[in-house]
Amino acid sequence: MTDLTNLTLSATLKGLENKEFSSVDVTKAYLQKMEDLRRLNAFITETPEHALEMAKASDEHRAKGIAGKLEGAPIAIKDMFCTKGIRTTAASKILSNFVPEFEATTTERLWQAGAVCLGKTNTDEFAMGSSTITSYFGVTHNPHDETRVPGGSSGGSAAAVAAHMCAAATGTETGGSIRHPASFCQISGFKPTYGRCSRYGVVAYASSLDEPGVLARTIEDCAHMIEPMMGYDPKDSTCSKREVPDLVGALDKNIKGMKIGIPKEYTELVPDNWEPALQFLKEQGAELIDVDMPHTEEAGMVYYVISQGEATTNLARYDGARYGVRVEGKTLDEMYMNTRMEGFGQEVRNRMILGTFFTSAKGYNDYFVPAQKMRSLIKQDFDKAFEKVDVLFSPAVPIKPFTIEEAKHGAAKGRFNDNYLMPSCLTGVPAGCANNGLQVIGRMWDDATVLKVLDVVEMMK
Amino acid sequence: MTYIIKGKTADWEMICGLEVHCEILSNSKVFSGASAEFGGLPNTHVAFLDCGMPGQLPVLNEKCVEQCIKTGFGLNAKINKHSVFDRKNYFYGDLPTGYQITQLFYPIVGEGYVDVTDEDGNIKRIGVERLHLEQDAGKSIHDMHPTQSYLDFNRAGVGLMEIVSKPDIRSPEQAGDYLRKLRSMVRYLGTCDGNMDEGSMRCDINVSVRPVGEEGFRHRVEIKNVNSVKFVMQAIDLEVHRQINLYEQGLDFPQETRLFDAVNMETRAMRSKENALDYRYFPDPDLPPLNLTEEYIENIRVNLPEMPEAKKKRYMESLGLPEYDARILTSDKDTAIYFERALHGGATQRDPKKVANWVMGDLFAALNREYIAIEDSPVRPEDLGSLIDLINDGKISGKIAKEVFEDMFTTGKSAAAIVEEKGLKQVSDTGAIEKMIDEVIAANMDKVAEIKAGKDKLKGWFVGQIMKASQGKVNPGLANQLLEKKLSEV
């Protein structure tokens, strides 16, 4: 029998449908792989027993002919999604003992579609980082070179997908946290339009930026994964009532006549496959048009001010009073200080302090308000570009993964690390990274076209 | 005569504004589905959001929005079609998320006013700055354990309307009447139960003083969480005198927050402006701005119940009641409801003045005596109406009616039943009355002679004797009439 973990999600679903193997078979294969590659530290919590129970139930569903869209497919969940009865840590000591009594809307929908939960994947603490080195549960290694980081913050999910420890995984983006590790681990990643996926039950980092999304081996797999996660949820006031389009059906591999914008600010540094990719798109019948995105450079600063400002209040609830880790003190204030000093890692504490400053009476007017204004200008860049073109095309992260040592010495602060990713996070437009490191960004709500173009990009040899 | 305090060095006036927090009457909390009911065992009305679980998001309860708009109309205020929710950040045990969701920059209700009666009986208009929607905190309980505090999140997340007045209040009496008017208004509208004892209406006082004629404002002191009209008036009075006293000794004091201590009758410093908190307000990214349509607001307006001022006007104009009666009867929603139910018996309307007299007289006296709220009155308004009918129909005298009322109040029985049981029905049988008069005249011929000699006053004595003989059941009008006739015949 072939190794079932070598199948893409799409192939796994076909195999299950054709009864070539059962969900229990494929789940066992993944659990074995997880055990074999535990040294990569992709998972914070493995749930093998739970996975086998779900797989058995899935096989019964299939037998009864009531299979959901992801029936029997073993997947991994970034440990930012609250899972009922399964420890959810956000990779932080402060939540290291937290078991939610409720389920995130997006994961609930995945289980309803029949997916099987293998475990919870590692991330930077509270998703703050792009190397998966700030986790309380240790560093995750890049499966392609274990001395290097997998990117982040969804590095555990990316490593698990790349090392075939799951068929697909969920991720979250705030400032590039899906596309960045997808690029570093040579897999596909997609974050839909802000408002497509409910944030209910997702541990908040920066509410106006946080977007649940997916990582998988191909864009087609991403489309299979993301479709059931999307759609209106009355529990999230920022979630859209728009109907969910047929995303898998949109992948018709035809981009003839499509206008693809190349933002010149995103091509300052490009990877080796960049020129061939442009050539390939032209061959596919697309028209390439140069566009200007003049406020790209400012996106990084804007991102830091807004994300840290929001994060500092979102994380205020972790005070040791009601759940999570508590470190006692003589007074209430002392208990807060002890709990938060010990419960949060250095990176989170740094961002809390900066965020507190950015939202202080003085910082608000000097930084937060100007950042919001600049955010509007960045959005205008996109609006203007999309008057001329259907999608934007560029490298995702034009640099090679840095080593764990380099990451510990601030390599992630380099300017080419995430400056092609952040503008699209600030504007909420849909964006994805193909498994060859190239990204496509689309108009608000036009998630289908982004996936369709990415699917073609992945056809390139 | 305005409220001027004669000091040693100057005549002083006070400047005061009130911030009143009203808990919104709604089934569920403002951003979660948990019950908003008062009380309950600790931590039984708590959704995941109300204890600040990760990943929990607020969803606005439309009922609370409606209640704010209604109250806005009650304040004669502008309803803002666009409002925004902000986070007010601070750490405290009973604040589960580390921030309170409120509306700082764009409140749902803008400027309005409340007309109050001042110490001289004049109408004074107190401006309202704004009304905004926010969530309440939970409760910290510090006295159950020597070293630990307990937390109850039942109240955490209940909707609050904060009504902020302009600094237009110039006397403790104005402040008291402002609060009474507000309470009456929210109770009329059913937007808050106005119960200050249970904390569903709470008041923060901002007060400063200055010599009469001085321009601008001096240091202001905030007195937090005062929970009765009486205490608010006392706290202002105390604070005003404290401030004047300090100024007159040539001393200054910091802009600070103080607590009112009703036991020791003093205000005490809580924290000064120098270490005031920076609440780091900013728009809550979990909640989109609240945008209301003209139709939505208009629909709430046309369905508003009649407000006290309009009701008072109607009582005076179409019921012909004096201003005093109309004011008393409309000062409280439940009193007005009682009055109107007693006024109408089926399709007919009773004499408004007579009903008003009964409600404001015997009923109020009995209720006050027994500390019973009018909505819990043992004499139901319909029964009071029937009692009044018995008098009008001449079935019982006004004097007997008072006795019947007391019986009704203690037993809860209807007037007709009591009159029947006790045989109190008025005697209107001319023959029977004539017989009684004959007997009284026969027994008192000496007095008849005195009347004949011109001592007219004695007629009253005769009526009294007849009433006595009949145990008060004789219709006094009839008795008088027949007595005249009989006396002339003697």
Side-chain angles (χ1 to χ4, degrees):
Chain A
M1 204 170 172
T2 53
D3 183 354
L4 293 175
T5 65
N6 287 336
L7 299 175
T8 62
L9 172 62
S10 316
T12 305
L13 290 170
K14 262 195 205 98
L16 286 165
E17 202 182 320
N18 298 335
K19 310 259 185 320
E20 289 162 29
F21 46 82
S22 70
S23 176
V24 170
D25 294 337
V26 68
T27 301
K28 277 184 176 162
Y30 276 116
L31 290 172
Q32 185 60 51
K33 189 61 85 54
M34 285 161 67
E35 211 181 306
D36 295 346
L37 295 177
R38 209 167 271 157
R39 66 174 188 279
L40 295 179
N41 198 31
F43 286 83
I44 291 174
T45 306
E46 298 180 7
T47 57
E49 286 134 35
H50 183 58
L52 285 172
E53 268 172 43
M54 290 182 96
K56 263 181 224 154
S58 260
D59 287 335
E60 281 162 26
H61 290 162
R62 285 232 181 249
K64 286 185 198 150
I66 47 165
K69 281 183 172 173
L70 296 171
E71 197 65 62
I75 62 165
I77 302 296
K78 184 179 184 181
D79 212 13
M80 293 291 282
F81 292 79
C82 287
T83 41
K84 190 175 178 178
I86 298 171
R87 183 173 72 143
T88 300
T89 69
S92 182
K93 181 178 180 182
I94 213 159
L95 285 176
S96 55
N97 59 2
F98 178 65
V99 179
E101 285 295 316
F102 50 90
E103 185 80 30
T105 298
T106 41
T107 49
E108 178 68 44
R109 288 176 179 173
L110 286 168
W111 314 139
Q112 273 164 13
V116 169
C117 178
L118 294 168
K120 309 290 295 287
T121 58
N122 204 6
T123 159
D124 281 295
E125 186 179 1
F126 284 101
M128 295 177 183
S130 56
S131 310
T132 319
I133 57 165
T134 67
S135 167
Y136 172 65
F137 299 91
V139 176
T140 294
H141 301 264
N142 191 317
H144 301 292
D145 176 349
E146 294 180 26
T147 66
R148 292 180 188 271
V149 300
S153 67
S154 310
S157 283
V161 167
H164 297 185
M165 295 155 86
C166 60
T170 64
T172 57
E173 265 216 17
T174 305
S177 280
I178 288 173
R179 287 169 288 164
H180 186 277
S183 176
F184 270 21
C185 289
Q186 300 160 40
I187 58 164
S188 314
F190 177 67
K191 66 130 198 163
T193 309
Y194 182 88
R196 279 286 194 198
C197 280
S198 166
R199 292 183 293 114
Y200 176 81
V202 178
V203 177
Y205 164 14
S207 310
S208 75
L209 299 159
D210 291 347
E211 293 177 49
V214 293
L215 299 98
R217 281 171 237 177
T218 66
I219 283 297
E220 188 189 354
D221 286 2
C222 286
H224 278 288
M225 258 300 266
I226 196 71
E227 206 179 288
M229 288 168 68
M230 284 191 188
Y232 177 62
D233 176 15
K235 291 181 195 159
D236 176 359
S237 311
T238 61
C239 192
S240 169
K241 285 185 176 165
R242 282 163 194 266
E243 234 174 271
V244 177
D246 176 3
L247 296 177
V248 180
L251 309 180
D252 62 3
K253 307 205 187 291
N254 178 6
I255 57 164
K256 204 161 278 173
M258 192 170 274
K259 289 179 176 149
I260 297 180
I262 313 293
K264 74 166 191 286
E265 292 79 3
Y266 289 39
T267 54
E268 203 179 327
L269 181 70
V270 293
D272 294 343
N273 61 353
W274 176 243
E275 288 302 329
L278 294 177
Q279 192 55 37
F280 178 75
L281 290 177
K282 274 190 240 168
E283 283 163 19
Q284 295 297 312
E287 186 189 341
L288 303 185
I289 298 166
D290 286 335
V291 293
D292 281 335
M293 308 285 277
H295 300 96
T296 301
E297 193 66 37
E298 285 81 2
M301 283 305 295
V302 172
Y303 168 80
Y304 277 107
V305 172
I306 291 174
S307 67
Q308 291 170 16
E310 291 184 10
T312 189
T313 85
N314 279 335
L315 270 62
R317 65 188 60 193
Y318 307 113
D319 57 10
R322 299 164 308 284
Y323 56 83
V325 167
R326 174 194 293 179
V327 182
E328 298 291 351
K330 283 193 213 76
T331 61
L332 181 67
D333 283 344
E334 210 179 288
M335 188 269 276
Y336 286 157
M337 283 190 270
N338 293 346
T339 298
R340 290 166 67 84
M341 267 308 281
E342 277 209 27
F344 292 134
Q346 188 64 53
E347 179 66 23
V348 173
R349 292 207 303 270
N350 290 350
R351 295 196 192 199
M352 294 296 91
I353 290 164
L354 279 170
T356 301
F357 171 67
F358 292 143
T359 52
S360 67
K362 179 170 163 42
Y364 185 77
N365 289 318
D366 291 352
Y367 294 90
F368 205 82
V369 172
Q372 294 290 12
K373 287 180 183 162
M374 184 53 75
R375 190 177 182 176
S376 303
L377 292 176
I378 293 167
K379 190 178 178 302
Q380 277 177 25
D381 281 359
F382 282 87
D383 292 344
K384 277 187 194 145
F386 287 128
E387 282 169 15
K388 287 196 285 183
V389 300
D390 300 308
V391 292
L392 300 171
F393 182 61
S394 82
V397 185
I399 52 171
K400 294 268 182 302
F402 21 83
T403 64
I404 291 165
E405 271 318 296
E406 285 166 348
K408 283 179 179 166
H409 292 95
K413 293 192 170 72
R415 88 178 254 272
F416 289 108
N417 190 42
D418 44 23
N419 61 340
Y420 299 168
L421 306 175
M422 282 182 175
S424 41
C425 286
L426 290 167
T427 51
V429 292
C433 173
N435 52 22
N436 52 18
L438 302 173
Q439 77 164 335
V440 173
I441 302 166
R443 294 190 178 99
M444 287 297 278
W445 314 111
D446 195 9
D447 304 85
T449 303
V450 172
L451 287 167
K452 172 191 163 114
V453 178
L454 281 166
D455 185 45
V456 171
V457 171
E458 287 191 350
M459 286 161 61
M460 189 175 79
K461 290 288 168 310
Chain B
M1 230 298 287
T2 43
Y3 182 82
I4 301 291
I5 296 122
K6 295 229 174 278
K8 284 185 229 113
T9 58
D11 286 353
W12 298 82
E13 66 170 345
M14 57 164 272
I15 293 115
C16 169
L18 298 181
E19 291 168 22
V20 181
H21 289 87
C22 300
E23 264 185 13
I24 297 171
L25 278 178
S26 59
N27 291 329
S28 50
K29 295 182 179 181
V30 58
F31 297 116
S32 86
S35 167
E37 204 186 324
F38 176 79
L41 287 172
N43 296 310
T44 51
H45 300 168
V46 183
F48 294 125
L49 176 78
D50 307 323
C51 54
M53 287 284 172
Q56 292 296 322
L57 299 171
V59 177
L60 181 60
N61 178 352
E62 197 190 319
K63 176 73 184 179
C64 294
V65 173
E66 190 190 317
Q67 297 288 57
C68 288
I69 296 172
K70 278 188 184 172
T71 310
F73 282 122
L75 294 167
N76 313 293
K78 177 172 169 279
I79 310 299
N80 292 325
K81 280 190 231 166
H82 174 81
S83 63
V84 177
F85 294 99
D86 301 298
R87 291 183 180 178
K88 176 183 181 180
N89 297 281
Y90 64 96
F91 284 95
Y92 198 63
D94 54 28
L95 186 69
T97 48
Y99 56 85
Q100 177 197 31
I101 304 175
T102 178
Q103 296 185 310
L104 177 69
F105 302 105
Y106 301 96
I108 183 165
V109 175
E111 292 191 353
Y113 62 85
V114 174
D115 284 336
V116 303
T117 310
D118 71 11
E119 49 287 347
D120 306 320
N122 299 320
I123 300 298
K124 155 113 187 180
R125 181 158 289 187
I126 308 296
V128 168
E129 185 72 42
R130 57 192 281 156
L131 174 155
H132 61 258
L133 176 55
E134 60 184 26
Q135 48 178 188
D136 210 343
K139 268 184 189 151
S140 302
I141 303 149
H142 300 297
D143 54 4
M144 281 173 68
H145 189 280
T147 58
Q148 294 179 0
S149 293
Y150 286 77
L151 297 171
D152 177 5
F153 293 105
N154 282 356
R155 205 182 64 183
V158 169
L160 284 181
M161 300 180 279
E162 180 173 341
I163 301 166
V164 183
S165 87
K166 295 192 174 176
D168 291 348
I169 297 168
R170 291 290 177 274
S171 72
E173 183 48 51
Q174 289 174 20
D177 200 49
Y178 175 82
L179 273 179
R180 284 190 288 263
K181 287 271 158 53
L182 269 191
R183 186 168 58 187
S184 161
M185 187 266 286
V186 292
R187 285 166 59 89
Y188 258 88
L189 291 168
T191 57
C192 170
D193 68 19
N195 194 332
M196 292 188 90
D197 298 337
E198 287 176 2
S200 45
M201 206 170 146
R202 309 190 286 272
C203 184
D204 297 343
I205 305 162
N206 283 296
V207 64
S208 67
V209 297
R210 67 183 170 197
V212 174
E214 184 176 290
E215 295 284 319
F217 299 129
R218 294 192 173 196
H219 273 169
R220 157 170 67 87
V221 161
E222 183 176 15
I223 309 167
K224 282 270 182 202
N225 248 330
V226 187
N227 61 2
S228 84
V229 173
K230 194 176 100 191
F231 288 164
V232 166
M233 293 170 68
Q234 288 174 341
I236 293 173
D237 197 51
L238 280 170
E239 181 57 25
V240 164
H241 283 92
R242 188 187 73 89
Q243 291 183 13
I244 292 171
N245 212 358
L246 286 170
Y247 283 134
E248 297 211 318
Q249 290 173 49
L251 300 169
D252 203 349
F253 53 88
Q255 187 132 323
E256 64 182 358
T257 301
R258 298 177 75 85
L259 279 176
F260 172 64
D261 179 345
V263 179
N264 297 311
M265 284 305 274
E266 60 178 19
T267 64
R268 271 203 307 272
M270 213 170 127
R271 60 168 179 260
S272 69
K273 186 79 185 168
E274 289 85 76
N275 47 38
L277 295 163
D278 177 354
Y279 289 116
R280 294 161 38 233
Y281 286 96
F282 81 103
D284 191 327
D286 285 333
L287 288 160
L290 177 60
N291 292 308
L292 303 168
T293 62
E294 191 74 54
E295 298 75 51
Y296 181 82
I297 297 169
E298 185 59 15
N299 194 37
I300 291 171
R301 196 188 62 78
V302 297
N303 288 305
L304 284 177
E306 189 182 28
M307 294 304 293
E309 281 306 310
K311 210 181 258 295
K312 182 179 149 196
K313 204 165 162 232
R314 178 167 64 84
Y315 283 9
M316 288 165 69
E317 284 170 8
S318 58
L319 298 181
L321 288 176
E323 196 270 349
Y324 177 81
D325 294 27
R327 177 154 55 81
I328 299 293
L329 291 172
T330 56
S331 63
D332 174 79
K333 186 189 184 185
D334 293 313
T335 306
I337 290 174
Y338 191 100
F339 170 72
E340 290 187 25
R341 279 169 64 187
L343 183 65
H344 297 282
T348 60
Q349 184 184 294
R350 303 186 173 100
D351 179 345
K353 183 58 189 159
K354 281 186 179 158
V355 177
N357 287 347
W358 272 96
V359 170
M360 293 161 58
D362 295 71
L363 179 69
F364 274 11
L367 291 172
N368 284 341
R369 192 179 63 221
E370 304 293 331
Y371 299 105
I372 295 172
I374 194 162
E375 63 269 32
D376 302 324
S377 167
V379 177
R380 295 180 305 136
E382 295 76 12
D383 291 338
L384 182 65
S386 306
L387 176 69
I388 295 166
D389 289 344
L390 289 178
I391 308 167
N392 284 348
D393 297 347
K395 299 249 173 67
I396 55 172
S397 66
K399 187 162 171 272
I400 291 278
K402 285 180 182 293
E403 286 170 32
V404 174
F405 177 83
E406 288 303 326
D407 271 4
M408 290 165 75
F409 200 86
T410 29
T411 63
K413 287 182 186 163
S414 75
I418 289 167
V419 167
E420 192 60 41
E421 260 172 43
K422 299 207 160 173
L424 295 175
K425 206 169 260 176
Q426 192 155 269
V427 180
S428 301
D429 174 349
T430 331
I433 299 172
E434 280 182 31
K435 195 164 158 262
M436 271 187 257
I437 295 174
D438 288 342
E439 282 166 15
V440 174
I441 288 178
N444 298 288
M445 282 310 286
D446 52 334
K447 297 235 167 35
V448 175
E450 281 182 54
I451 291 172
K452 295 272 179 195
K455 210 169 175 186
D456 241 21
K457 273 189 195 161
L458 271 174
K459 283 180 188 168
W461 182 85
F462 269 94
V463 175
Q465 292 301 303
I466 295 159
M467 297 307 283
K468 201 172 168 187
S470 70
Q471 291 166 317
K473 282 182 280 184
V474 165
N475 180 330
L478 201 54
N480 250 320
Q481 201 186 324
L482 291 172
L483 179 70
E484 286 291 346
K485 184 173 146 237
K486 286 281 175 188
L487 284 175
S488 64
E489 286 167 5
V490 175

